[in-house]
Amino acid sequence: MKKILLAAGLTATTIFIPLKSHAATVNATLSASYFEVANNTDPDFSTSSTPHVLVGSTLGPNGFPVAAAPFGVNDVNPVTNELTWWSPALNSHVVATATGTISLPYSSNMFAPNSTGTNNSNFYETAFFTGNFSLAAATTVAFALGSDDDSFIYIDGTLIGQNPGVHAISTVNFSSGLLAAGDHQVEVFYDDRQHVAASLSLDLVSTDVIISVVDTPEPASMLLLGAGLAGLAAARRKRA
């Protein structure tokens, strides 16, 4: 709870404005964008190639993971070296299919289209998730990321962990390193490049971290705050 002390004349009034606070393992919401890639049209799908994206590297100018040489993949922007599996604008094989939200902890069969859980052998799916969080003090935040196939997780545009390549589902915990107090952004990129299976899971595992989503005060709270401040100013003028 957030406590604000107001004075109206000589009377002190305490108003509580609630904050939506929760442990880092529940109630986190990320936006989601889904894409599909037609079977047998994209050179990077139905292959075992592994993109080489360096931990600690930053997102490219278009906001996508940057592959380091040797690439081992074909769908790399020749100018920026970005992977283009989530960009219809940069990759003609990619088609946007839907947007929405997901809540953590999240776990889904990521078969196309749009993570319905039904294997559609005509398409592969890729997806992009992003959300914001705020820290009251400098700390580290850890995530559990599981995928089949490639997945990459970024904090403030810097890669902190990945499960690259075509592989069975595997889950790894990744730490952000020390983050300053204030606002931060998490971004997760996912793609399914084989029809054998598809899966993505994501959760916050830093149970000692409290993530607070601070709402804009409701109109009633704003009126009370304004009245209290006006009373305080009048009292000060009277004393002067």
Side-chain angles (χ1 to χ4, degrees):
M1 303 289 285
K2 186 175 181 179
K3 184 182 293 184
I4 298 178
L5 184 63
L6 304 177
L10 299 177
T11 303
T13 303
T14 301
I15 296 177
F16 290 91
I17 299 177
L19 303 181
K20 293 181 180 178
S21 299
H22 53 79
T25 52
V26 296
N27 295 335
T29 302
L30 291 82
S31 65
S33 298
Y34 301 97
F35 309 87
E36 65 183 21
V37 183
N39 191 12
N40 298 323
T41 64
D42 189 286
D44 278 346
F45 289 73
S46 286
T47 71
S48 58
S49 59
T50 299
H52 297 275
V53 182
L54 301 179
V55 172
S57 64
T58 58
L59 293 170
N62 296 298
F64 300 107
V66 176
F71 304 144
V73 293
N74 299 289
D75 288 336
V76 175
N77 184 278
V79 177
T80 65
N81 290 338
E82 291 170 277
L83 299 173
T84 61
W85 299 331
W86 309 271
S87 176
L90 298 177
N91 189 333
S92 61
H93 303 114
V94 178
V95 177
T97 56
T99 58
T101 60
I102 64 169
S103 297
L104 304 189
Y106 175 77
S107 181
S108 176
N109 290 327
M110 299 293 288
F111 286 121
N114 311 329
S115 304
T116 59
T118 301
N119 188 358
N120 185 337
S121 60
N122 295 317
F123 297 96
Y124 301 96
E125 181 174 86
T126 68
F128 166 70
F129 308 92
T130 184
N132 299 317
F133 60 96
S134 181
L135 299 176
T139 188
T140 60
V141 179
F143 293 84
L145 177 66
S147 66
D148 175 343
D149 298 303
D150 307 91
S151 59
F152 309 90
I153 182 168
Y154 289 77
I155 299 293
D156 298 333
T158 299
L159 184 68
I160 66 166
Q162 59 182 321
N163 283 326
V166 174
H167 55 76
I169 187 169
S170 60
T171 303
V172 185
N173 287 6
F174 299 108
S175 175
S176 65
L178 186 65
L179 297 176
D183 296 330
H184 299 275
Q185 184 177 39
V186 57
E187 295 168 284
V188 177
F189 297 84
Y190 168 80
D191 63 80
D192 167 39
R193 290 195 288 137
Q194 276 195 338
H195 289 308
V196 175
S199 179
L200 178 71
S201 62
L202 180 67
D203 195 12
L204 280 158
V205 295
S206 300
T207 55
D208 57 331
V209 174
I210 300 299
I211 296 179
S212 297
V213 180
V214 182
D215 289 341
T216 301
E218 296 178 357
S221 299
M222 291 297 291
L223 289 174
L224 288 171
L225 179 60
L229 292 176
L232 179 61
R236 286 178 174 173
R237 287 195 298 271
K238 184 175 181 180
R239 288 197 299 271

